[in-house]
Amino acid sequence: MKERIKAIIEINDNTSSRVFAFFIQALILLSVITFSVETLPELEPDTRFLLRIFETFSVVVFSIEYILRIYVSDKKLKFIFSFYGIIDLLSILPFYVALGVDLRSLRALRFLRLFRILKLVRYNRAMNHFNAAIKSAKEEILLFIMVTLILMYFSAVGIYYFENEAQPEHFSSIFDSLWWAIITLTTVGYGDVYPITVGGKVFTFFILMIGLGIVAIPTGIISSALTRSVDKKE
Amino acid sequence: MKERIKAIIEINDNTSSRVFAFFIQALILLSVITFSVETLPELEPDTRFLLRIFETFSVVVFSIEYILRIYVSDKKLKFIFSFYGIIDLLSILPFYVALGVDLRSLRALRFLRLFRILKLVRYNRAMNHFNAAIKSAKEEILLFIMVTLILMYFSAVGIYYFENEAQPEHFSSIFDSLWWAIITLTTVGYGDVYPITVGGKVFTFFILMIGLGIVAIPTGIISSALTRSVDKKE
Amino acid sequence: MKERIKAIIEINDNTSSRVFAFFIQALILLSVITFSVETLPELEPDTRFLLRIFETFSVVVFSIEYILRIYVSDKKLKFIFSFYGIIDLLSILPFYVALGVDLRSLRALRFLRLFRILKLVRYNRAMNHFNAAIKSAKEEILLFIMVTLILMYFSAVGIYYFENEAQPEHFSSIFDSLWWAIITLTTVGYGDVYPITVGGKVFTFFILMIGLGIVAIPTGIISSALTRSVDKKE
Amino acid sequence: MKERIKAIIEINDNTSSRVFAFFIQALILLSVITFSVETLPELEPDTRFLLRIFETFSVVVFSIEYILRIYVSDKKLKFIFSFYGIIDLLSILPFYVALGVDLRSLRALRFLRLFRILKLVRYNRAMNHFNAAIKSAKEEILLFIMVTLILMYFSAVGIYYFENEAQPEHFSSIFDSLWWAIITLTTVGYGDVYPITVGGKVFTFFILMIGLGIVAIPTGIISSALTRSVDKKE
């Protein structure tokens, strides 16, 4: 009995296992979409009721799946405290915990329910290749993050001194200036804050010249990591 | 007779074939431009009449070309249902179908006429090299698309919880937040929606740090695919 | 005599040649800056007079340099019609031609004067390395430009059908939509035009997903071209 | 005695040295954060007083550290005038110099205090790898900066001629146009200045097509430099 359930739940090459995996994946996708639909501001009570029914159904299925996964695993505690074991639990927990709590706190707890989408990753073996590339470039990525953070801090301090007097509402402190630094160095450029003084504009020019190089670094790191990872595969 | 037409229509190294290909390509370009000109809001009746004449002329030429292509092909059905066979038909069909329909529905159907531009690709042999690079990196590109979509969904849910109360008009649901996530993670940053709360700004910072890495991935994938593709060519 | 001038004007390893090259380069940079200063809207007559004197001085020096370059070159006609010979002439011509013309047309002609800055390239031998990389990737770059243009045209037509009715002032024709397509696909995102309909936003999502890949292509092309170019150097 | 202090202050593999390095790094991070907090506009006197106490404490620690570093170094003058020696001094100097000066000038001098963050780099040996990559690509990076600057200048002059008459407030001179060129070519696109004439928009299209290639160059340079640097490591 246990062996037969295991053959279905854990990924194998037989048909029933594939059907089960596809069914769970489809249910995850649907529950993610219904979760998004629930946030729409002007939903009719009927729609809200249907979404609630589907939510209950999917939580029941995910709960049964979670219990079966514990049942079939040889090392039960190891599974429960593994990455996917925790995600499996967190993706159904908000439903049960919410029953005894008031509605507003429930809303914050539902954020946890999002972890359910991480299950999509579970069934994807191709991810391994990508993980290998990230692992091999770990040191360089950490170094890049540090360099980027230092550059962002310097940009924020610099623009604060140039723009604080001219635009005290937008550059009121270094923390406000950091927002400008993030949005500018990532080249997003919303346009909510930008320098207006000549000094601030010249400073922005130099920061962006350096920033172009900084943006090029992670591209270079990941590009070379992927190339090496693919070379090894071949 | 059939052989002589075939020598002209299908791409060969003789002069008449080149002249024909150049003439068709020029006509495609011109018909694309006239299609764009037709959308200008304040066109004079005379201009509209001239555009109509040119449209009729180009459709007649493309129809003759289409019939000849069927005539000279050895496996007629295979050509008709091939990618370019379908595009050839779709690029002339709206003209004939529109004759019996009212003007407004015609406008929507004319959208199909755009497929004509795809014919530009037909005569371009250099495209093959590019296709090879895309094909070799197919798996990685699919994986990147999945990772990007998951990141976008998480960004949308996160910013919804941070900004919904402060800006209910811009972040009214997760679908509205998805628009913000797309525009921010691609670094387009129109500036129509952006976070204003401290929590939302800090969240945007972390999402963009990850986003910079995500943008670097397809660059790395295509860069290494092209390098390998060029290496093979040499 | 001719040999001595040649030793100074053409780039050699002696001191006088280096001093001359440095002097000309500095004069080019100064004349580029003064040209920019002249466009400032509220200049005092004294400043304008000083700029005029410097302009006259620099044109005299560049004219003498141009005549000497013709004098020392062995194949005079070849130099005059070479890339740098033409730039040398164009960078001084507006000054002389303007004397007999009215002020407004002079303003348009001065645009040509900008070519003077191209002389900066002349003395830079390192440029050769960069040129080699561009030349080796010529075909791929042309293909990328074609693919980008086709994608931009499709984006413009698509957004026109989605947004024309909702925003007739911003998406009045395919030409207006092209402006949106350019600013969006390059991720500049000024925020002067952006989709507001649900259809337009979903369409923008798909276009940007493809656009991220498109932006990755020239990066990949140039990256691999530079790598190969550096490999050959080593 | 001197040897024992040296063993603690300079980076070694013993425990006391690691504890000291961690303590100094934490103090640097905290003093950087408190410096940012001080710029918040509406601070209460109590908070300001606490920040002042922490500032005094950290400057005392950094001063003792600076004196000890001079004491333990074999070539004292070489350390004082080394990069990190100067940064160490600059990061504590504003505190002492400010004592005899009025408050406003103190504010400008405090900018120098930021150099303290550069000490973070000091303890990071991994930085060497990154430095090697930058050094090997020095020539190409300089060339790229020159090409970018020339392109930016041409863009500014071009857009000035197209947009000056239509938008004299935004494109009043070439210097104003340079701001547009910087923000557009780096794809930041704040949206404070953008072309509105047809000529200006077409010009922007061509500049951006070239600009996409320009942005690809430093990415390619750093990508290949990092790949070679990693290859050598392996």
Side-chain angles (χ1 to χ4, degrees):
Chain A
M1 176 67 183
K2 190 177 168 181
E3 285 310 307
R4 277 178 63 191
I5 294 170
K6 195 171 185 174
I8 293 166
I9 281 178
E10 290 189 2
I11 294 158
N12 291 304
D13 284 339
N14 59 19
T15 316
S16 54
S17 160
R18 279 183 187 162
V19 168
F20 178 78
F22 178 79
F23 170 71
I24 291 291
Q25 246 178 329
L27 203 63
I28 290 166
L29 189 65
L30 275 171
S31 81
V32 160
I33 291 167
T34 53
F35 170 68
S36 304
V37 170
E38 269 181 64
T39 64
L40 282 170
E42 286 170 31
L43 274 184
E44 288 188 33
D46 285 8
T47 320
R48 211 170 277 280
F49 181 71
L50 281 170
L51 290 171
R52 194 76 202 152
I53 286 173
F54 178 80
E55 167 67 7
T56 313
F57 169 71
S58 64
V59 165
V60 166
V61 172
F62 290 141
S63 301
I64 293 166
E65 187 211 352
Y66 179 63
I67 290 160
L68 286 177
R69 275 189 200 281
I70 295 174
Y71 175 66
V72 300
S73 63
D74 299 319
K75 295 177 179 176
K76 291 186 197 341
L77 273 175
K78 202 187 160 194
F79 168 74
I80 289 168
F81 292 104
S82 72
F83 179 66
Y84 287 121
I86 290 163
I87 286 168
D88 285 0
L89 185 61
L90 285 174
S91 70
I92 49 172
L93 209 64
F95 183 82
Y96 299 111
V97 176
L99 296 175
V101 204
D102 95 292
L103 278 165
R104 278 190 63 82
S105 65
L106 169 136
R107 198 174 150 201
L109 273 167
R110 295 209 79 172
F111 191 21
L112 291 168
R113 194 185 155 204
L114 237 203
F115 282 94
R116 189 177 294 162
I117 207 172
L118 278 175
K119 284 176 101 171
L120 281 170
V121 173
R122 180 171 209 158
Y123 305 104
N124 204 328
R125 272 168 291 179
M127 204 74 186
N128 296 336
H129 178 217
F130 181 65
N131 282 339
I134 291 289
K135 198 171 272 178
S136 82
K138 201 175 63 181
E139 281 177 27
E140 283 93 344
I141 288 167
L142 278 173
L143 195 62
F144 154 71
I145 289 168
M146 210 184 99
V147 171
T148 306
L149 291 180
I150 290 173
L151 180 69
M152 278 185 177
Y153 185 74
F154 272 105
S155 309
V157 174
I159 209 74
Y160 172 75
Y161 279 96
F162 281 116
E163 296 291 325
N164 182 32
E165 267 178 53
Q167 301 186 82
E169 72 284 2
H170 285 133
F171 296 93
S172 65
S173 72
I174 284 176
F175 296 103
D176 276 16
S177 302
L178 262 173
W179 173 243
W180 169 87
I182 293 159
I183 294 309
T184 300
L185 281 171
T186 57
T187 76
V188 171
Y190 287 131
D192 53 343
V193 279
Y194 49 81
I196 55 166
T197 65
V198 171
K201 285 178 176 181
V202 171
F203 180 75
T204 305
F205 166 71
F206 286 109
I207 286 300
L208 276 170
M209 282 290 98
I210 300 164
L212 278 183
I214 294 295
V215 170
I217 294 165
T219 310
I221 291 167
I222 292 173
S223 176
S224 69
L226 275 170
T227 310
R228 273 175 291 156
S229 177
V230 168
D231 284 355
K232 278 176 193 162
K233 202 176 68 178
E234 285 175 356
Chain B
M1 177 65 185
K2 189 177 169 181
E3 285 310 306
R4 277 178 65 191
I5 295 170
K6 196 172 185 174
I8 294 167
I9 281 178
E10 290 187 1
I11 293 159
N12 291 302
D13 284 339
N14 58 21
T15 317
S16 54
S17 160
R18 280 182 186 163
V19 168
F20 177 77
F22 179 81
F23 170 71
I24 292 290
Q25 248 177 329
L27 203 62
I28 290 166
L29 188 66
L30 275 172
S31 81
V32 161
I33 291 167
T34 54
F35 169 68
S36 305
V37 169
E38 269 180 66
T39 65
L40 283 170
E42 286 170 31
L43 275 183
E44 288 187 34
D46 284 10
T47 320
R48 211 169 277 279
F49 181 71
L50 281 170
L51 290 171
R52 193 78 203 151
I53 286 173
F54 178 80
E55 167 67 7
T56 313
F57 168 71
S58 64
V59 166
V60 166
V61 172
F62 290 141
S63 302
I64 294 166
E65 187 211 352
Y66 179 63
I67 290 159
L68 287 177
R69 275 189 199 281
I70 296 174
Y71 174 66
V72 299
S73 64
D74 300 320
K75 295 175 180 178
K76 290 185 195 345
L77 272 174
K78 201 187 161 195
F79 168 74
I80 290 168
F81 291 104
S82 72
F83 179 65
Y84 288 120
I86 290 163
I87 286 168
D88 285 0
L89 185 61
L90 285 175
S91 69
I92 50 171
L93 210 64
F95 183 83
Y96 298 112
V97 176
L99 295 175
V101 205
D102 96 290
L103 278 164
R104 277 190 63 81
S105 65
L106 169 136
R107 199 174 148 200
L109 272 168
R110 295 209 78 172
F111 192 21
L112 290 168
R113 193 186 155 204
L114 236 203
F115 283 94
R116 190 178 293 164
I117 208 175
L118 279 175
K119 284 177 99 172
L120 281 170
V121 173
R122 180 172 209 157
Y123 305 104
N124 204 330
R125 271 169 291 177
M127 205 73 186
N128 296 335
H129 177 216
F130 181 66
N131 282 339
I134 292 289
K135 198 171 272 177
S136 82
K138 200 175 63 182
E139 281 176 27
E140 283 93 345
I141 288 167
L142 278 173
L143 196 60
F144 154 72
I145 289 167
M146 210 185 98
V147 171
T148 305
L149 291 180
I150 290 173
L151 180 70
M152 277 187 178
Y153 185 74
F154 273 104
S155 309
V157 174
I159 208 75
Y160 172 74
Y161 279 98
F162 282 116
E163 296 291 324
N164 182 31
E165 265 178 55
Q167 303 185 81
E169 73 285 2
H170 285 134
F171 296 93
S172 66
S173 73
I174 284 177
F175 297 103
D176 275 16
S177 303
L178 262 173
W179 174 242
W180 169 85
I182 293 159
I183 293 308
T184 300
L185 281 171
T186 57
T187 78
V188 170
Y190 286 131
D192 53 343
V193 280
Y194 49 82
I196 55 165
T197 65
V198 171
K201 285 178 175 179
V202 171
F203 180 75
T204 305
F205 165 71
F206 285 109
I207 286 299
L208 277 170
M209 282 290 97
I210 300 163
L212 278 183
I214 294 294
V215 169
I217 293 165
T219 310
I221 291 165
I222 293 174
S223 176
S224 68
L226 274 170
T227 310
R228 272 175 292 157
S229 177
V230 168
D231 284 354
K232 278 176 193 161
K233 201 176 71 179
E234 284 175 355
Chain C
M1 177 66 183
K2 189 178 170 182
E3 286 310 308
R4 277 178 64 189
I5 295 170
K6 196 170 185 175
I8 294 167
I9 282 179
E10 291 187 1
I11 293 160
N12 291 303
D13 284 337
N14 59 20
T15 317
S16 54
S17 161
R18 280 181 186 164
V19 169
F20 178 77
F22 179 79
F23 170 71
I24 291 291
Q25 249 178 328
L27 203 62
I28 289 165
L29 189 65
L30 276 172
S31 81
V32 160
I33 291 167
T34 53
F35 170 69
S36 304
V37 169
E38 269 179 67
T39 64
L40 284 169
E42 284 171 32
L43 274 183
E44 286 188 34
D46 284 9
T47 320
R48 210 169 277 281
F49 182 70
L50 280 169
L51 290 171
R52 193 77 203 152
I53 286 174
F54 178 80
E55 167 68 6
T56 312
F57 169 71
S58 64
V59 166
V60 166
V61 171
F62 290 141
S63 301
I64 293 167
E65 187 212 353
Y66 179 63
I67 291 161
L68 287 177
R69 274 190 199 282
I70 296 174
Y71 175 65
V72 301
S73 64
D74 299 321
K75 294 176 178 178
K76 291 183 196 343
L77 272 175
K78 202 187 163 194
F79 168 74
I80 290 169
F81 292 104
S82 72
F83 179 65
Y84 287 120
I86 290 162
I87 285 168
D88 285 359
L89 185 60
L90 286 174
S91 70
I92 50 171
L93 210 64
F95 184 83
Y96 299 112
V97 176
L99 295 175
V101 204
D102 95 290
L103 278 165
R104 277 191 62 82
S105 66
L106 168 136
R107 199 174 148 198
L109 273 167
R110 294 209 79 170
F111 191 22
L112 291 168
R113 194 186 153 202
L114 237 202
F115 281 94
R116 190 178 294 164
I117 207 173
L118 277 176
K119 284 176 101 173
L120 282 169
V121 173
R122 179 173 210 157
Y123 305 106
N124 204 329
R125 270 169 292 178
M127 204 71 186
N128 296 336
H129 178 217
F130 181 65
N131 282 338
I134 291 290
K135 198 171 273 177
S136 83
K138 201 174 64 181
E139 280 177 27
E140 283 94 345
I141 288 168
L142 278 173
L143 195 61
F144 154 71
I145 289 168
M146 210 184 101
V147 171
T148 306
L149 291 180
I150 289 173
L151 180 68
M152 278 186 177
Y153 185 74
F154 272 105
S155 310
V157 173
I159 208 75
Y160 172 75
Y161 279 97
F162 282 116
E163 296 290 324
N164 182 32
E165 267 178 54
Q167 302 186 81
E169 72 285 3
H170 284 134
F171 296 93
S172 66
S173 72
I174 284 176
F175 297 103
D176 276 15
S177 302
L178 262 172
W179 173 242
W180 168 86
I182 294 159
I183 293 309
T184 300
L185 281 170
T186 56
T187 77
V188 170
Y190 285 131
D192 53 343
V193 280
Y194 49 81
I196 54 167
T197 65
V198 171
K201 285 178 175 181
V202 171
F203 179 75
T204 305
F205 166 71
F206 286 108
I207 287 299
L208 277 170
M209 282 291 97
I210 301 165
L212 278 183
I214 295 294
V215 169
I217 293 165
T219 310
I221 291 166
I222 293 174
S223 176
S224 67
L226 275 169
T227 310
R228 273 174 292 156
S229 178
V230 169
D231 284 353
K232 278 176 192 160
K233 200 175 69 178
E234 284 174 358
Chain D
M1 177 66 185
K2 190 177 169 181
E3 285 309 308
R4 278 179 62 191
I5 295 171
K6 196 172 185 173
I8 294 166
I9 282 179
E10 290 188 359
I11 294 158
N12 291 305
D13 284 337
N14 58 19
T15 317
S16 54
S17 159
R18 278 183 188 162
V19 169
F20 178 78
F22 179 78
F23 171 70
I24 291 291
Q25 248 178 328
L27 203 63
I28 290 166
L29 189 66
L30 276 171
S31 81
V32 160
I33 291 167
T34 53
F35 169 69
S36 304
V37 170
E38 270 181 65
T39 64
L40 283 170
E42 286 171 32
L43 273 184
E44 286 187 36
D46 284 8
T47 321
R48 210 169 278 280
F49 182 70
L50 280 169
L51 290 171
R52 192 77 201 152
I53 285 173
F54 178 79
E55 167 68 7
T56 312
F57 169 71
S58 64
V59 165
V60 166
V61 172
F62 291 142
S63 300
I64 293 166
E65 187 212 354
Y66 179 62
I67 290 159
L68 286 177
R69 275 189 199 282
I70 296 175
Y71 175 65
V72 301
S73 62
D74 300 321
K75 294 177 180 175
K76 291 183 196 343
L77 272 174
K78 202 187 162 193
F79 168 74
I80 291 168
F81 292 105
S82 72
F83 179 64
Y84 288 121
I86 290 164
I87 285 169
D88 285 359
L89 186 61
L90 285 175
S91 69
I92 50 172
L93 208 64
F95 183 82
Y96 299 110
V97 176
L99 295 174
V101 204
D102 96 290
L103 278 164
R104 279 192 63 79
S105 65
L106 169 137
R107 198 174 149 199
L109 271 168
R110 295 209 79 171
F111 191 22
L112 290 168
R113 194 186 154 203
L114 236 202
F115 282 94
R116 190 178 294 163
I117 207 173
L118 278 176
K119 284 176 101 173
L120 281 170
V121 173
R122 179 174 210 156
Y123 305 105
N124 204 326
R125 270 168 293 180
M127 203 74 186
N128 296 335
H129 178 218
F130 181 65
N131 283 338
I134 291 290
K135 199 171 272 177
S136 83
K138 202 174 65 181
E139 280 176 28
E140 282 93 346
I141 288 167
L142 278 173
L143 196 61
F144 154 71
I145 289 167
M146 209 184 100
V147 171
T148 305
L149 291 180
I150 289 174
L151 180 68
M152 278 186 178
Y153 186 75
F154 272 105
S155 308
V157 173
I159 209 74
Y160 172 75
Y161 278 98
F162 282 117
E163 296 290 324
N164 182 31
E165 265 178 55
Q167 302 185 82
E169 73 284 2
H170 285 134
F171 296 92
S172 65
S173 71
I174 284 176
F175 297 103
D176 277 14
S177 303
L178 262 173
W179 174 243
W180 169 86
I182 294 159
I183 292 309
T184 300
L185 281 170
T186 57
T187 77
V188 170
Y190 286 130
D192 54 342
V193 280
Y194 49 80
I196 55 166
T197 66
V198 172
K201 285 178 175 181
V202 171
F203 180 75
T204 305
F205 166 71
F206 285 108
I207 287 299
L208 277 170
M209 282 290 97
I210 301 165
L212 278 182
I214 294 294
V215 169
I217 293 165
T219 309
I221 291 166
I222 293 174
S223 175
S224 67
L226 275 169
T227 310
R228 272 174 291 155
S229 178
V230 169
D231 284 353
K232 277 176 193 161
K233 202 176 66 178
E234 287 173 356

